[in-house]
Amino acid sequence: MSINDTYQPINCDDYDNLELACQHHLLLQLTLRNGESLKAEAADLFLRKKVEYLLYKYHGEQHEVRLDAIESFSHPEIGTITITQN
């Protein structure tokens, strides 16, 4: 996904589940639309230039990913969530 691609907001329920994961710093299994998969700690959600991002910690370093680049995420407390776009 290119930074120039038009951002597609995600479903509000999916956003709320990510927000909950950030509040509790849950270790999520993230699957990205490019096929990449990783376990990362959810840290924060933020908005930059009308694009929403997840800030996460991976191997002790902070990274960010556009929410519309996430295909799904899972954690035993919240189950598996497949992201839907509005």
Side-chain angles (χ1 to χ4, degrees):
M1 175 172 295
S2 166
I3 196 163
N4 294 326
D5 289 343
T6 302
Y7 178 69
Q8 299 296 315
I10 67 170
N11 178 288
C12 291
D13 291 336
D14 298 339
Y15 185 93
D16 290 346
N17 282 312
L18 278 173
E19 191 170 43
L20 177 68
C22 290
Q23 289 172 350
H24 295 282
H25 300 279
L26 297 180
L27 184 62
L28 299 177
Q29 178 67 45
L30 293 171
T31 302
L32 305 182
R33 295 193 186 279
N34 68 4
E36 184 179 354
S37 183
L38 60 125
K39 281 194 176 190
E41 179 187 328
D44 199 7
L45 295 171
F46 66 94
L47 183 69
R48 181 189 314 126
K49 296 183 180 181
K50 300 182 182 180
V51 176
E52 297 169 305
Y53 292 85
L54 169 67
L55 180 69
Y56 63 91
K57 295 179 184 174
Y58 182 69
H59 292 293
E61 295 183 14
Q62 290 190 341
H63 301 271
E64 59 189 53
V65 62
R66 284 172 47 152
L67 297 190
D68 62 348
I70 302 171
E71 182 174 302
S72 66
F73 62 95
S74 63
H75 184 273
E77 291 181 28
I78 58 176
T80 298
I81 309 289
T82 300
I83 299 284
T84 54
Q85 297 174 344
N86 288 332

